């Protein structure tokens, strides 16, 4: 049995470096202009791509280029030209969705490895076999598949690499093949300009007249009821101070399914989130790195694999829309009940910028407020450890009992805490909340 690849998002060169530091085996990054995160893509040109590819290969890692827009006629020639230039840089694979471009790449660059994007919505083994016949080496499976379907596909097609999403945002449409953004703000999601209209807050108004000023805001709780199926339960639309997020699903967290995916022989476990912060990326990669390594080791030792509490705890240091197992397991494949769920175990307190050996202190960019009395943990690529604070200076250089977000400060470490510049670039302070039983 082989150990599956941990594949992390790289929204830019900085995020790519954090992903590798915390244990990713490979990253996927957007091709400039021609990926589905084109408006937020930090890889702006071929020079950025070349630097990223060289950085990955120098560390024995892989760099996949996401080129997965669904182009219209006007973009075909420019997309072809850009693809050829990108292929010449030597990415380990191209992630492509459009069937015409898959065929064209196989014709003009037959040695280029092609992975089928999730945008192609592969949901059964016949479709996967079809793409395999066209020379696709790996299929990135649709998020809408259940675990049993994924495992069956691998059993039927053992020679085809399969990649499965294990963590990140879930689209209310079919793996992103959505027209909502285009309809609301005239920005086409299938050309890389999604406005995330499904995740934005909305208000319900009563229309009392033809003019905008004739609308009044709805008050109280409200529900949706199918008029053609009155026997069905009403759908509650929860609303907070920001509005209702009826179309925004909770995020996928499949960490509990990792053992079954490893035993099923899946080649790649994919994390979503090219626009997330470096802290979010680092913590999620850390969680799945620990989970994969420990489960793989247990399986090789003939033991029944189990997820460690530390792996579980890592994802509870993140806030967001809440977590679910998606379509993989459970009676509720997607959950729209919550707008926002705060982190459970802790949150990032500060990102470490550099280390001063003479004073044994670190300069930090404060992300959330913390005080001398807070329980802090030092998070580095080597792990997390409790780290009491000796003293702190604020951005003016004066002694401080509290550091506030949006500022820089200096934290002085106890003498027994070992730290050096090799850890400084990719480290954080985490503010630990009182622990709960897992």
């Amino acid at each position: 049995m082989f150990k599956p690849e941990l594949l992390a998002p790289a929204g830019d060169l900085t995020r790519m470096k954090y992903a590798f530091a915390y244990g990713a085996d490979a990253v996927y990054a957007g091709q400039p202009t021609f990926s589905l995160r084109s408006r937020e893509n930090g890889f702006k040109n071929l020079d950025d791509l070349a630097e990223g590819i060289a950085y990955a290969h120098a560390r024995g890692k892989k760099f996949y280029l996401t080129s997965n827009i669904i182009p219209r006629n006007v973009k075909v020639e420019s997309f072809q030209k850009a693809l050829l230039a990108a292929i010449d840089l030597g990415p380990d694979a191209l992630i492509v969705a459009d069937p015409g471009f898959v065929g064209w790449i196989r014709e003009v660059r037959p040695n280029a490895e092609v992975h089928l994007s999730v945008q192609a919505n592969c949901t059964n083994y016949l479709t996967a076999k079809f793409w395999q016949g066209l020379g696709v080496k790996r299929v990135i499976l649709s998020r809408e598949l259940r675990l049993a379907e994924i495992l069956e596909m691998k059993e039927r097609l053992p020679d085809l690499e399969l990649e499965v999403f294990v963590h990140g945002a879930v689209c209310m449409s079919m793996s992103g093949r959505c027209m909502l953004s285009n309809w609301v703000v005239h920005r086409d999601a299938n050309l890389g300009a999604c406005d995330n209209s499904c995740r934005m807050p909305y208000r319900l108004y009563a229309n009392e007249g033809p003019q905008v000023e004739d609308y009044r805001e709805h008050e109280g709780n409200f529900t949706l009821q199918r008029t053609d199926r009155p026997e069905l339960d009403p759908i509650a639309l929860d609303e907070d101070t920001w509005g209702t997020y009826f179309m925004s699903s909770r995020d996928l967290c499949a960490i509990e399914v990792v053992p079954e995916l490893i035993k099923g022989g899946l080649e790649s476990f994919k994390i979503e989130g090219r626009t997330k912060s470096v802290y979010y990326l680092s913590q999620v990669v850390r969680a799945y790195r620990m989970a994969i390594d420990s489960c793989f080791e247990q399986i090789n030792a003939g033991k029944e694999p189990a997820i460690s509490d530390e792996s579980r705890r890592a994802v509870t240091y993140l806030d967001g829309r809440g977590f679910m197992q998606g379509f993989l397991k459970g009676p509720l494949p997607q959950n729209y009940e919550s707008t926002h769920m705060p982190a459970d175990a802790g949150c990032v307190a500060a990102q470490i910028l550099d280390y001063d050996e003479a004073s044994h202190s670190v300069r930090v960019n404060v992300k959330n407020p913390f005080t001398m009395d807070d329980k802090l943990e030092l998070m580095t690529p080597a792990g997390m450890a409790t780290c009491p604070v000796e003293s702190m200076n604020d951005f003016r250089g004066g002694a401080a009992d509290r550091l506030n977000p949006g500022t820089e400060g200096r934290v002085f470490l106890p003498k027994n805490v070992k730290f050096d510049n090799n850890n400084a670039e990719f480290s954080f302070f985490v503010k630990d909340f009182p622990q709960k039983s897992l």
Side-chain angles (χ1 to χ4, degrees):
M1 178 175 289
F2 64 91
K3 184 184 290 188
E5 167 190 271
L6 178 57
L7 177 57
D12 54 28
L13 289 165
T14 299
R15 289 179 175 88
M16 177 196 70
K17 293 175 181 178
Y18 274 83
F20 285 143
Y22 278 87
D25 300 305
V27 297
Y28 61 99
Q31 181 176 344
T33 308
F34 296 103
S35 81
L36 292 189
R37 293 291 183 271
S38 60
R39 67 187 177 93
E40 304 103 341
N41 190 8
F43 290 86
K44 300 297 185 185
N45 49 51
L46 292 177
D47 289 340
D48 289 342
L49 288 181
E51 183 177 347
I53 293 168
Y55 186 95
H57 290 172
R59 287 154 182 79
K61 308 286 188 176
K62 291 187 175 182
F63 187 104
Y64 302 142
L65 186 61
T66 305
S67 309
N68 61 344
I69 67 166
I70 310 296
R72 299 174 186 172
N73 287 343
V74 70
K75 287 186 176 287
V76 167
E77 291 185 5
S78 57
F79 191 13
Q80 287 176 318
K81 182 178 178 181
L83 264 174
L84 291 176
I87 291 172
D88 290 342
L89 298 176
D92 294 280
L94 297 171
I95 300 174
V96 185
D98 187 275
F101 274 83
V102 171
W104 176 77
I105 293 168
R106 299 297 302 142
E107 178 183 342
V108 301
R109 291 290 191 275
N111 293 326
E113 185 171 315
V114 176
H115 295 178
L116 185 71
S117 171
V118 68
Q119 290 298 113
N121 303 133
C122 181
T123 58
N124 65 75
Y125 58 85
L126 280 180
T127 301
K129 186 176 181 180
F130 166 80
W131 287 111
Q132 184 181 26
L134 290 184
V136 169
K137 184 176 181 181
R138 177 185 296 182
V139 169
I140 305 170
L141 296 174
S142 173
R143 293 181 181 89
E144 290 73 40
L145 291 176
R146 295 191 179 274
L147 177 62
E149 295 174 306
I150 293 171
L151 298 180
E152 179 186 0
M153 196 177 297
K154 186 60 192 174
E155 185 177 351
R156 288 179 177 271
L157 300 168
D159 297 328
L160 176 63
E161 291 187 10
L162 297 181
E163 182 176 304
V164 59
F165 278 91
V166 294
H167 199 95
V170 177
C171 185
M172 56 89 69
S173 188
M174 183 74 171
S175 283
R177 295 291 287 267
C178 181
M179 294 297 292
L180 185 62
S181 174
N182 206 352
W183 180 51
V184 175
V185 292
H186 310 294
R187 287 164 53 164
D188 196 335
N190 299 304
L191 292 176
C194 180
D195 187 60
N196 293 324
S197 297
C198 64
R199 297 176 192 161
M200 298 299 109
Y202 290 87
R203 287 274 184 214
L204 182 66
Y205 290 90
N207 183 1
E208 297 186 330
Q211 305 299 323
V212 173
E213 57 268 21
D214 293 330
Y215 285 75
R216 65 176 176 83
E217 188 171 340
H218 177 89
E219 297 179 357
N221 298 323
F222 54 98
T223 59
L224 295 180
Q225 176 69 60
R226 285 273 299 268
T227 56
D228 61 323
R229 298 283 302 279
E231 73 277 11
L232 296 179
D233 291 336
I235 302 170
L237 296 185
D238 296 331
E239 186 169 8
D240 60 17
T241 56
W242 302 103
T244 181
Y245 294 74
F246 175 62
M247 294 175 288
S248 180
S249 172
R250 291 189 184 184
D251 289 342
L252 170 66
C253 177
I255 201 159
E256 298 293 342
V257 191
V258 164
E260 291 166 277
L261 292 172
I262 293 177
K263 290 191 291 185
L266 277 293
E267 280 77 10
S268 184
F269 295 180
K270 187 171 195 171
I271 296 168
E272 184 274 342
R274 277 182 275 169
T275 62
K276 296 288 189 178
S277 70
V278 290
Y279 169 72
Y280 173 96
L281 176 62
S282 301
Q283 193 69 275
V284 173
V285 170
R286 173 176 169 267
Y288 284 87
R289 180 75 279 159
M290 291 188 293
I292 292 171
D293 289 349
S294 63
C295 287
F296 184 76
E297 184 177 331
Q298 293 170 66
I299 292 171
N300 276 348
K303 300 177 182 178
E304 187 63 27
I307 301 297
S308 69
D309 285 347
E310 182 63 20
S311 295
R312 291 190 183 97
R313 189 168 175 77
V315 296
T316 64
Y317 281 100
L318 304 164
D319 61 1
R321 291 183 290 270
F323 293 128
M324 62 173 183
Q325 293 186 4
F327 287 85
L328 291 169
K329 280 190 169 184
L332 294 174
Q334 293 196 188
N335 189 317
Y336 299 91
E337 294 176 357
S338 176
T339 60
H340 179 267
M341 293 184 68
D344 182 55
C347 64
V348 60
Q351 181 179 352
I352 294 175
L353 301 176
D354 55 50
Y355 169 68
D356 179 66
E357 185 176 2
S359 61
H360 195 41
S361 67
V362 290
R363 184 169 61 94
V364 298
N365 181 1
V366 184
K367 301 297 184 181
N368 282 294
F370 63 95
T371 70
M372 292 283 295
D373 296 329
D374 284 323
K375 181 181 177 183
L376 295 182
E377 293 193 55
L378 181 61
M379 174 179 158
T380 75
M384 286 182 68
T386 301
C387 183
V389 174
E390 287 285 305
S391 61
M392 301 190 302
N393 288 349
D394 60 21
F395 66 95
R396 298 185 184 91
D401 293 325
R402 172 189 171 100
L403 295 180
N404 295 310
T407 67
E408 290 188 4
R410 183 162 292 276
V411 175
F412 294 85
L413 307 176
K415 290 186 173 67
N416 64 336
V417 174
K418 295 182 179 180
F419 196 82
D420 57 47
N421 272 322
N422 292 328
N423 289 326
E425 184 178 1
F426 302 111
S427 298
F428 303 88
F429 280 117
V430 174
K431 181 179 177 180
D432 203 30
F433 298 156
Q435 292 193 13
K436 301 177 182 178
S437 59
L438 295 172

